[in-house]
Amino acid sequence: MKILVCISHVPDTTTKIKFVDNKLDTNGVQFIIGPYDDFALARAVELKEASGGTVTVLNVGTVDTEPSIRKALAIGADNAVRVDAEPTDSLFVAKQIVAHAASENYDMILMGRESSDFNSGLVHGLVGELLGWPSIAPAMKLDVDGSTAKLSREIEGGHEDVEVQLPFVAGCQEPIAEWKIPNMRGIMMARKKPLEVVEAVAVEGVTAYQSFELPEEKGECKMVDADQMDELVGLLKNEARVL
């Protein structure tokens, strides 16, 4: 089994971020593998350990992303590919993935349901469309039986169980697997595992960002006595304007 796992390089979700000159100020920011990508990687490693095969990780990013790539190798991936480019938008990233995957005969491409920086949730669907493969998201369970994959995904009001033939694309989320923490042996081995750097394919830009802003700070919290329902309804209607 040959598995490609696409990972993003994002600010730690506990990091307080700020913008300078309409760009993310990276000073003091800790970067990690995208949390949803971590679930995809963990399940890929489990499938490899159960049935054999290889796991390749791919990242679209500059040299700054290599610590995250090395961590993925320490967790259990066998080799890595870094597309040497700034990930400008979902279509750009998807086309880089497709350019690599088209000739590699992967059985599946796994990634997170979305990255935790832009939260677009588009890449897995775009990759599936461009390759002509089924794309399933958000995948919460994945098992493989021969050439058939059985997945469970979250839908409004419940879960949906689906079966697809390999190859396919899946955007993953918990509880598809538990995050894996690299051990010392994995960290040492990761230093020797191959990391190939490739040039990006040309993609016409379709997205232009106008500005970046932090969310508004939370307003004052008003406490209402449990017996004063009329007052609560009035506040929700006239001040919060949610009724």
Side-chain angles (χ1 to χ4, degrees):
M1 188 180 300
K2 193 174 180 181
I3 305 173
L4 177 65
V5 179
C6 305
I7 63 171
S8 54
H9 177 74
V10 300
D12 192 311
T13 52
T14 62
T15 297
K16 292 184 177 181
I17 63 172
K18 60 181 179 179
F19 297 100
V20 176
D21 297 329
N22 205 32
K23 293 182 179 180
L24 174 67
D25 182 1
T26 58
N27 291 322
V29 175
Q30 177 70 37
F31 283 83
I32 60 172
I33 298 172
Y36 290 117
D37 301 326
D38 255 331
F39 288 116
L41 176 61
R43 187 59 185 140
V45 172
E46 290 174 351
L47 290 171
K48 182 190 77 168
E49 291 174 345
S51 304
T54 60
V55 174
T56 299
V57 292
L58 182 146
N59 168 260
V60 180
T62 62
V63 68
D64 295 337
T65 69
E66 291 194 3
S68 291
I69 298 172
R70 289 293 178 190
K71 181 180 178 182
L73 292 170
I75 287 172
D78 299 286
N79 63 295
V81 176
R82 178 173 68 82
V83 180
D84 190 22
E86 193 71 36
T88 53
D89 62 23
S90 297
L91 181 61
F92 179 86
V93 172
K95 287 195 173 182
Q96 306 309 317
I97 295 169
V98 169
H100 166 76
S103 61
E104 292 294 328
N105 296 317
Y106 289 109
D107 293 295
M108 67 186 77
I109 300 176
L110 306 182
M111 63 188 75
R113 59 174 286 181
E114 62 186 11
S115 63
S116 60
D117 47 7
F118 286 90
N119 300 99
S120 69
L122 297 174
V123 175
H124 42 75
L126 289 169
V127 170
E129 177 66 21
L130 292 169
L131 288 172
W133 295 4
S135 178
I136 299 93
M140 304 172 64
K141 183 179 180 182
L142 167 60
D143 294 300
V144 178
D145 182 9
S147 61
T148 302
K150 300 178 180 180
L151 303 97
S152 178
R153 67 177 176 181
E154 188 176 30
I155 60 173
E156 186 174 356
H159 296 161
E160 179 181 49
D161 295 327
V162 298
E163 290 188 5
V164 296
Q165 296 298 304
L166 275 58
F168 67 95
V169 181
C172 305
Q173 70 170 44
E174 74 283 1
I176 197 167
E178 292 187 4
W179 284 346
K180 294 184 180 295
I181 299 174
N183 55 34
M184 185 55 67
R185 182 172 181 270
I187 294 171
M188 297 300 290
M189 291 178 62
R191 297 176 181 177
K192 299 179 181 179
K193 291 181 178 179
L195 195 171
E196 180 185 5
V197 179
V198 300
E199 294 298 318
V201 297
V203 177
E204 182 179 355
V206 296
T207 303
Y209 298 104
Q210 299 299 318
S211 64
F212 294 95
E213 298 176 356
L214 294 175
E216 294 183 5
E217 294 186 3
K218 292 183 179 179
E220 180 184 354
C221 179
K222 292 186 178 181
M223 306 300 292
V224 179
D225 191 282
D227 297 326
Q228 302 298 319
M229 294 304 297
D230 289 342
E231 181 184 357
L232 175 60
V233 171
L235 290 169
L236 292 173
K237 183 176 180 180
N238 300 319
E239 290 193 17
R241 300 183 183 279
V242 294
L243 294 180

